[in-house]
Amino acid sequence: MSFFSVTDLTAGYGGKPVIDRISFELEAGCLLGLLGANGSGKTTLLKSICGILPHRGSCVLEGSVLEQLSPRELAGRCSYVPQRSGISIDLSVLDVVLMGFNPRLGLLEYPSGDMKERARKALARVGLGGREEENYLHLSEGQKQLCILARTLASEGRLLLLDEPESALDFRYRYQMLDLLRGWVREEKRAVLAALHDPSLALNYCDRLLLLADGKVLAVLKPGTDALNKMEEELGVLYGRVSLQRCRDKSGREQLVMLKEPETE
């Protein structure tokens, strides 16, 4: 049995489907990148999996059908991080992270000392250590995204869903976030499904890539082992004519570089 599976997932808005009968599987310890043009259904897919959007089909996480779980049970197992947090009131950075424990707390129950310690460790892990008492609203957009990521890591959900988490981050922190996520899923034997805007990040940090086009699965790629010409062909459907090269950085680590090629007439 796979760690997480999606079968014939169909969802949309106003009776019009955006994703149509999408199916795939995800193993524990895997970082799966989701690539697609604007409107291809990336956000719709993530919202359907976490129960925000009504849908047909089924999602099974470690043997549990997510559609059969209560909202509280679902929130305890599956965490969704949107492009914007939606938080608009004054809260400390620590309090925002502690919100991740809400599914485990009873009515009027306060977070325990252990929860607070885990929240502080999660903040340190994303580079926000020492900023626990700052006002969340005073953070930059990128720092807010890191804070929400810390909230998710502290809550110890089994499946993490991210909607373009790198979009508000600068060059340095984009790579730091993906490196953190890749280490987290492997250490904890959990899984991440991340819709990514930057294909270069996806190619170098994701174990697999799920390509969406017109609401359907176009292809599943394995950047570490797939032939370059195969990946060029599939990625070309999304981005136009591209070429891929394997190169090494100064430390000797191999990386993939994607170049945009002139379109042929």
Side-chain angles (χ1 to χ4, degrees):
M1 179 183 295
S2 62
F3 178 81
F4 176 65
S5 64
V6 170
T7 304
D8 294 333
L9 201 64
T10 298
Y13 306 89
K16 182 179 179 180
V18 175
I19 55 173
D20 185 25
R21 297 188 299 275
I22 287 181
S23 299
F24 64 92
E25 293 186 350
L26 185 56
E27 301 303 323
C30 181
L31 173 53
L32 176 62
L34 187 61
L35 294 179
N38 291 338
S40 61
K42 301 187 299 297
T43 297
T44 300
L45 174 59
L46 296 177
K47 287 183 174 180
S48 298
I49 292 172
C50 69
I52 294 176
L53 193 63
H55 58 272
R56 299 193 301 274
S58 65
C59 304
V60 180
L61 177 61
E62 294 184 300
S64 296
V65 179
L66 298 188
E67 289 81 6
Q68 297 176 358
L69 300 179
S70 68
R72 189 180 184 90
E73 290 173 325
L74 181 57
R77 301 188 190 191
C78 179
S79 299
Y80 170 60
V81 179
Q83 293 183 39
R84 296 290 181 268
S85 69
I87 297 174
S88 58
I89 60 174
D90 292 321
L91 289 172
S92 73
V93 169
L94 182 61
D95 284 337
V96 170
V97 178
L98 289 172
M99 290 167 62
F101 295 105
N102 286 349
R104 304 184 186 184
L105 298 174
L107 184 64
L108 302 180
E109 183 180 1
Y110 291 96
S112 66
D114 177 66
M115 290 177 179
K116 292 180 180 179
E117 181 60 26
R118 284 158 56 187
R120 292 189 179 94
K121 288 181 178 179
L123 283 168
R125 191 168 188 178
V126 302
L128 293 178
R131 308 189 70 166
E132 293 85 356
E133 301 308 318
E134 292 187 25
N135 189 326
Y136 171 82
L137 297 181
H138 295 170
L139 299 178
S140 69
E141 289 304 314
Q143 290 168 339
K144 288 177 182 176
Q145 196 76 354
L146 291 172
C147 182
I148 298 301
L149 176 61
R151 181 179 73 183
T152 303
L153 298 181
S155 66
E156 298 185 343
R158 301 297 295 162
L159 175 66
L160 174 56
L161 308 171
L162 300 166
D163 194 354
E164 296 192 358
E166 86 284 23
S167 60
L169 300 177
D170 61 24
F171 181 84
R172 175 184 178 183
Y173 285 108
R174 287 183 179 189
Y175 285 86
Q176 179 178 315
M177 172 180 277
L178 269 293
D179 196 45
L180 187 156
L181 288 172
R182 185 166 63 175
W184 181 75
V185 297
R186 291 176 179 174
E187 291 169 12
E188 305 293 338
K189 295 301 179 186
R190 296 172 189 179
V192 169
L193 174 57
L196 296 171
H197 180 73
D198 186 342
S200 295
L201 277 175
L203 285 164
N204 287 292
Y205 282 91
C206 295
D207 301 296
R208 286 190 291 152
L209 298 177
L210 187 72
L211 275 53
L212 286 185
D214 299 322
K216 297 180 181 294
V217 175
L218 170 67
V220 178
L221 305 181
K222 296 180 180 179
T225 59
D226 281 352
L228 296 184
N229 60 349
K230 173 192 174 184
M231 292 193 290
E232 288 171 349
E233 180 180 352
E234 302 291 2
L235 291 166
V237 177
L238 303 182
Y239 304 110
R241 192 163 174 256
V242 299
S243 61
L244 296 174
Q245 298 291 329
R246 295 192 189 274
C247 62
R248 295 187 182 276
D249 60 23
K250 291 184 178 180
S251 69
R253 184 178 60 178
E254 185 176 87
Q255 296 197 44
L256 276 169
V257 176
M258 187 173 85
L259 302 174
K260 184 71 177 73
E261 296 289 344
E263 299 292 341
T264 56
E265 295 183 0

